């Protein structure tokens, strides 16, 4: 009998943990990530005039002019309030026709910045 009570207690504790985790996840998704929050944590955000989109890179990552081999950005609308998705860049000397598994799918797009990069967007460009 004691084993049955112990099992029920464990099941109730597990169920309570699942409910608490679900509530925390819902609260986190309700908090919208904004470019200003990232900048406050040391991220660098640059408005790309051609696209009119704000691209943010994490602290410690090199700017395009420095020629890092690959770079990832979080991309926001021009106001920095709405996260659109991510962008992955590969330096042109390392790009060999790899397919972009973003949105839309297909080849990477050439970006003539620094030593030249190919970009894959993981969101639909406006």
């Amino acid at each position: 009998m004691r084993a049955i009570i112990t099992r029920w207690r464990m099941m109730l504790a597990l169920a309570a943990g699942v409910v608490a985790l679900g509530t925390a996840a819902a609260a986190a998704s309700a908090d919208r990530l904004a470019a200003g929050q990232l900048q406050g944590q040391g991220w660098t955000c640059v408005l790309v005039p051609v696209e009119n989109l704000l691209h943010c890179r994490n602290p410690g990552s090199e700017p395009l002019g420095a020629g890092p081999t690959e770079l990832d950005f979080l991309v926001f609308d021009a106001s920095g309030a709405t996260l659109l998705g991510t962008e992955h860049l590969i330096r042109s000397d390392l790009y060999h026709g790899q397919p972009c598994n973003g949105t839309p799918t297909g080849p990477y797009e050439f970006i003539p910045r620094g030593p030249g990069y190919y970009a894959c967007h993981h969101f639909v460009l406006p």
Side-chain angles (χ1 to χ4, degrees):
M1 183 69 161
R2 180 178 261 172
I4 292 173
I5 292 172
T6 302
R7 268 194 223 147
W8 274 105
R9 284 184 182 163
M10 287 177 50
M11 288 176 62
L12 287 173
L14 180 60
V18 168
V19 169
L21 183 59
T23 302
S29 67
D31 293 338
R32 298 188 69 165
L33 180 64
Q37 293 170 303
L38 297 176
Q39 289 172 312
Q41 296 175 11
W43 288 58
T44 300
C45 297
V46 176
L47 183 65
V48 176
V50 175
E51 300 171 339
N52 197 32
L53 299 175
L54 194 62
H55 291 63
C56 298
R57 61 181 171 81
N58 64 340
S61 62
E62 297 178 66
L64 293 181
T69 57
E70 295 185 53
L71 195 59
D72 291 298
F73 291 96
L74 292 180
V75 182
F76 295 84
D77 67 349
S79 73
T82 303
L83 176 64
L84 302 176
T86 61
E87 179 180 77
H88 178 74
L89 299 183
I90 299 174
R91 200 172 59 206
S92 60
D93 61 328
L94 301 174
Y95 178 71
H96 302 293
Q98 301 93 312
C100 170
N101 294 319
T103 304
T105 58
Y108 278 64
E109 172 190 349
F110 182 68
I111 307 289
R113 299 262 336 253
Y117 286 89
Y118 282 87
C120 179
H121 297 94
H122 298 103
F123 61 96
V124 177
L125 288 168

